[in-house]
Amino acid sequence: MTANPHNLIAPKIIRTGALSPFGRMARMAGHALGLDIPMDPVDTNNPDDHIHQQNPLSKIPCMVLADNSLIHDSTIIIHYLDAFDGQHRLLPDISQERFVMLTDTTIAKGIAEAGLLIVYEARYRDNPEHHSQKFLSMQQAKLQKAMDYFVENMPDPQQTNILSINLSASLSYLDFRKQANWRVSHPTLADWLEKFAQSEPAYEATKRPDDA
């Protein structure tokens, strides 16, 4: 049972796209905590979608609470859900360990962010001749360095927390977009993801439709 020791307003829906790695992070956190939070699909390219009023930045995910107030950004949503649950299952209580985990989480999330920037470079520059190879190389370097980091600082695949959620969603996003042959270049990370997927049912529950 959810403790909600801080008397937070209950989450109602998570607005996101089924393909978004950031939306998946938020949804995976909800599933892992046993919270039944429906997903409301978003189309950020549709000017009539309410996301443009719900978030001035038109970004997903966006969590709508029971009073219709809003929480933005996957990291903030996970913080909120963990506080609502009240058992520190996804984040340690205030401690040095908490800030180490959050620092590593920004690196894990950055894998998906770099991957998304690679997608945008192709999506919004229709002519491949206009693609910035310098920019793409910078993003590829970020991917490689971040994955190198986690080879040396690998989280426990048997533990579900904000770090493992972000890392698993980011690596899965690379599988989907195929921006890096990371399973070959970083086989220990591929092994980590398989172990995490077997350990945490929320990973399977939040798979993209193409993975189902």
Side-chain angles (χ1 to χ4, degrees):
M1 176 179 289
T2 299
N4 193 16
H6 308 292
N7 294 315
L8 298 176
I9 299 166
K12 182 167 66 174
I13 57 173
I14 293 176
R15 301 214 64 218
T16 187
L19 304 182
S20 167
F22 311 108
R24 187 179 186 186
M25 292 167 190
R27 292 170 54 227
M28 201 186 305
H31 275 277
L33 293 172
L35 301 174
D36 183 17
I37 311 172
M39 186 188 92
D40 184 34
V42 171
D43 181 359
T44 56
N45 293 315
N46 180 357
D48 296 325
D49 195 299
H50 292 306
I51 193 65
H52 304 295
Q53 288 75 49
Q54 292 171 321
N55 185 343
L57 299 176
S58 301
K59 295 176 70 174
I60 54 177
C62 166
M63 186 166 71
V64 184
L65 304 181
D67 66 348
N68 291 322
S69 59
L70 305 164
I71 304 290
H72 303 303
D73 185 84
S74 59
T75 300
I76 306 303
I77 291 172
I78 293 174
H79 275 262
Y80 192 97
L81 295 177
D82 191 62
F84 182 76
D85 176 69
Q87 301 177 62
H88 298 296
R89 289 193 277 173
L90 300 184
L91 288 121
D93 202 354
I94 299 299
S95 62
Q96 197 68 32
E97 179 189 4
R98 180 185 180 97
F99 292 102
V100 170
M101 182 179 291
L102 287 173
T103 299
D104 282 355
T105 296
T106 64
I107 300 172
K109 186 176 182 179
I111 293 173
E113 291 170 340
L116 185 61
L117 289 175
I118 293 172
V119 171
Y120 283 170
E121 182 68 10
R123 180 178 298 171
Y124 296 111
R125 296 180 191 268
D126 296 336
N127 188 339
E129 293 182 2
H130 296 159
H131 295 176
S132 170
Q133 293 306 314
K134 181 177 181 180
F135 178 80
L136 291 172
S137 295
M138 287 172 58
Q139 305 314 314
Q140 288 288 351
K142 291 177 185 178
L143 294 180
Q144 297 303 315
K145 289 191 291 183
M147 289 188 288
D148 288 347
Y149 175 83
F150 284 113
V151 168
E152 299 298 325
N153 300 273
M154 198 169 293
D156 186 343
Q158 305 298 318
Q159 292 187 8
T160 299
N161 51 45
I162 191 171
L163 173 56
S164 57
I165 286 172
N166 274 256
L167 183 57
S168 63
S170 292
L171 292 175
S172 177
Y173 185 67
L174 295 187
D175 277 339
F176 171 56
R177 293 299 186 185
K178 298 178 172 54
Q179 294 129 337
N181 194 12
W182 70 274
R183 289 181 176 271
V184 173
S185 62
H186 297 78
T188 54
L189 273 185
D191 182 60
W192 177 88
L193 183 60
E194 295 304 316
K195 290 178 179 177
F196 177 76
Q198 292 170 9
S199 172
E200 178 48 68
Y203 181 85
E204 181 74 25
T206 56
K207 276 190 170 182
R208 293 175 299 276
D210 59 290
D211 288 338

